[in-house]
Amino acid sequence: MEFFRKYVLLFVLILLTGVSASAQYDKDVFFFRGRQALADGRYAQSIDQFNILAQLDTTDYWTFFYRGIAKYNLGDLRGAQTDFNTSVRLNPVFTNGYHYRAITENRFGDYDKALEDLETAISLRPGYEGLYFTRGVTFFLAQQFEKAVEDFNRYIRKQPKDPSAYLNRGASYLFLADTTMALADYNKAISIDRFEPEGYIRRGRLYASMEEYEHAIVDMNHAIRLDSTSTYAYFNRALMYYETKDYNSAMADLNRVLRDEPGNALTLYNRSLISAQVGNFEDALNDMDRVININPGNVLAYYNRASFFVQMERWRDALEDYDKAIELYPDFAKAYMNRSYVENMLGQTRASRRDYEIAQQKVREYREANASSEGSFADTTKKYSSLLALDAEFAKKDFDDELLQHRDIDIRLKPLYKFMLSGERTNVNYALSNRFENSLLDRYLSTSEVPVRIGNTDSTSVSYIGEYRLLLSRPGQSPSPQNEFLLGLADVADRQFNLALSHYDNAIDGEESDRYGQMYKAFYLMNRGVLRAEMIDFISSMETNVQTLTMDDQGTTRARVKDQVSRTYDYSEAIADMRSAASIMPDIPYIHFNLGNLYCLSSQLVEAMDSYTKAVELYPYLADAYYNRGLVLIYLKDKEKGCIDLSHAGELGVRDAYGVISKYCEEDQNQ
């Protein structure tokens, strides 16, 4: 029910006005910047401002409330809920805090808690109509449609010009099987705002459900004229064209969706069925292969691909897919029936008879259960090759406007930290920076012969490398370990990796005359470990992964979905260097962060988790460690903890975290 989310947070604009901050001038400035960024949709920048305010004053509930809204709009529901919790803890009569916490609880599907918070908010501020709108949405999601209508009625009495209320009430009427009232509400929404495509899409879908396809297509055409980028409208119009047997137009609309959303499994699935229906089985197979690659647990994809093979008389491929469909859903009577036919064509008469008997038994059980939903796959009268609409189980997250931009996001570990040359010396005295403080590290950075910094984003400019190299290579300059290390940094900046490795070796093997120099060896080891790992990564990046093609017994080349084969590279030398660095300087978080990355690259995920945890224990503001640990946790199927880590990383300034959160951390919304 993505369209409900679309309207709920419109109330933020109301909240952005009329709130005064009784604080010092600096706090007022941060409040203004944060709220302005929030109003402009610059949510990450808004969080930056409210982070500073949270440091200045931990008791101001408005700070956490606004930061919660910013996190919500970035898809960080857990982080938003934490901030809303803080706002109502600091102010137990804070209506807006309860309101927005309820909105967040809706997204988690925790409707009882959401209704409880809304009751509290209404008791505190019974005249605020927005609460009834949100409660109407909550009742709808909880499938209490009569109560939803009551709340939308109340809201509409006070706000009769809000088209979203009519759209939502119309949807509620639809679930009460009152199509007349639903159509009246959709008509009213359109009359209020003729330039909003949503009303036409809703009304068009209603017409389609009534098999009035001509009216439905007219509405979809209008929606597309208003918003030519609406994949939702193109998809729905494709279904309508299909029902009118205009397959060319249906295919054109599905192609238009896939132009913007090439990984949309639902659209690929439907396009595959149409291709098969017009006899284009090769394209049908290509699309269904992609569907299975995206969603390997979908029984209908295997079932329909098997039917394509049957029509192509590729019996063994068909048998393999029917096997998989039955493995996924053992009560799928029609799959047994069809597999029986395929086995008969292959001369496997005993297996064919057994499958036929199993199918008949499951059909009898289905009829005895009076066509209960639990036995629906045993229904031999049902067509499983028909196009799927958005409310089908297969769809789940498709056409989620908040997810489209993140569906194909490239997710990588944040890179290794290392020392590198800098254009200027690091300022260690600025306020509110939460920078890591270590006396030995600070001493090294401040006394180094040329400016050096530590980080994991390389912005070294070649403009001053030559100057530094001359300075470090003056006649009579003693080849001290520190000097060798700095020359190694210059070599890395010039991408002369083998020469840099030689300088690092000299620095590590060199004799140090004082205790500081002996401890600096940890820095040299750390950088050599990073360089060794980066050299491995460079080599591995030159290996190209290609799709494997196999020949079947009929000589037809067919792309098959294969389990991904990954090659593990040997990072043992890099790990050994990093461990040696940690033994000399165990309180430097960047070393433990690097160990976490190297363990990940070596598929030692438990050790990686321990290293990231050690890094954040030493430096709680090391955002990249939370980010990487979050990715590892999600990979290990501990999504709850992983998403909490990603939320914390985003709060600390890792903008990429919100894209990952939106892709992996939002709960499935099946309403």
Side-chain angles (χ1 to χ4, degrees), residues 541-606:
S541 70
M542 299 181 69
E543 296 185 355
T544 305
N545 293 320
V546 295
Q547 186 179 31
T548 301
L549 298 177
T550 59
M551 298 291 288
D552 64 13
D553 56 3
Q554 297 178 349
T556 305
T557 302
R558 175 187 172 199
R560 300 290 290 178
V561 177
K562 296 289 185 182
D563 291 335
Q564 185 177 358
V565 179
S566 59
R567 177 177 172 184
T568 301
Y569 293 88
D570 184 8
Y571 289 90
S572 58
E573 287 188 332
I575 290 173
D577 275 348
M578 217 61 68
R579 282 177 172 168
S580 297
S583 67
I584 297 171
M585 290 288 292
D587 56 348
I588 300 295
Y590 307 112
I591 296 174
H592 297 282
F593 173 89
N594 288 350
L595 267 173
N597 275 26
L598 295 173
Y599 284 135
C600 275
L601 294 169
S602 302
S603 300
Q604 301 177 56
L605 299 183
V606 174

Side-chain angles (χ1 to χ4, degrees), residues 246-257:
D246 186 352
Y247 300 135
N248 288 335
S249 296
M251 188 68 81
D253 275 350
L254 294 178
N255 289 340
R256 176 63 180 79
V257 173

Side-chain angles (χ1 to χ4, degrees), residues 29-158:
V29 170
F30 290 123
F31 257 116
F32 174 78
R33 291 175 180 169
R35 289 165 56 191
Q36 189 62 50
L38 193 59
D40 293 342
R42 294 179 287 111
Y43 303 119
Q45 292 91 326
S46 177
I47 289 173
D48 291 341
Q49 299 301 314
F50 291 121
N51 282 343
I52 295 172
L53 281 169
Q55 292 180 54
L56 293 172
D57 185 355
T58 60
T59 64
D60 192 334
Y61 54 92
W62 281 109
T63 295
F64 297 97
F65 173 71
Y66 283 132
R67 191 174 71 178
I69 291 176
K71 290 179 180 178
Y72 182 100
N73 282 285
L74 285 168
D76 181 8
L77 303 183
R78 289 166 178 79
Q81 188 173 37
T82 298
D83 277 346
F84 295 144
N85 287 342
T86 302
S87 72
V88 296
R89 177 178 58 79
L90 293 172
N91 183 358
V93 293
F94 184 34
T95 305
N96 291 326
Y98 290 109
H99 185 187
Y100 279 79
R101 187 169 70 176
I103 292 170
T104 306
E105 288 160 346
N106 272 343
R107 296 291 300 279
F108 282 117
D110 197 345
Y111 306 126
D112 290 338
K113 284 187 178 179
L115 289 170
E116 182 179 328
D117 273 345
L118 288 168
E119 289 296 332
T120 302
I122 289 171
S123 69
L124 292 169
R125 193 177 173 188
Y128 179 34
E129 297 85 8
L131 293 169
Y132 298 101
F133 183 101
T134 304
R135 193 172 68 175
V137 171
T138 307
F139 279 133
F140 181 97
L141 296 174
Q143 300 185 34
Q144 300 181 44
F145 303 114
E146 295 89 350
K147 291 182 178 180
V149 169
E150 291 174 8
D151 270 348
F152 289 128
N153 287 341
R154 180 159 185 169
Y155 177 79
I156 287 170
R157 283 196 294 270
K158 297 290 187 180

Side-chain angles (χ1 to χ4, degrees), residues 362-388:
K362 292 190 179 297
V363 170
R364 286 193 295 271
E365 292 171 356
Y366 166 73
R367 288 172 178 166
E368 290 170 4
N370 194 27
S372 67
S373 59
E374 290 80 2
S376 61
F377 275 102
D379 186 0
T380 58
T381 66
K382 183 175 175 61
K383 283 184 64 178
Y384 297 104
S385 59
S386 56
L387 267 62
L388 292 175

Side-chain angles (χ1 to χ4, degrees), residues 15-29:
L15 296 173
L16 286 174
T17 60
V19 180
S20 61
S22 56
Q24 298 175 1
Y25 172 76
D26 284 346
K27 286 183 60 180
D28 288 338
V29 170

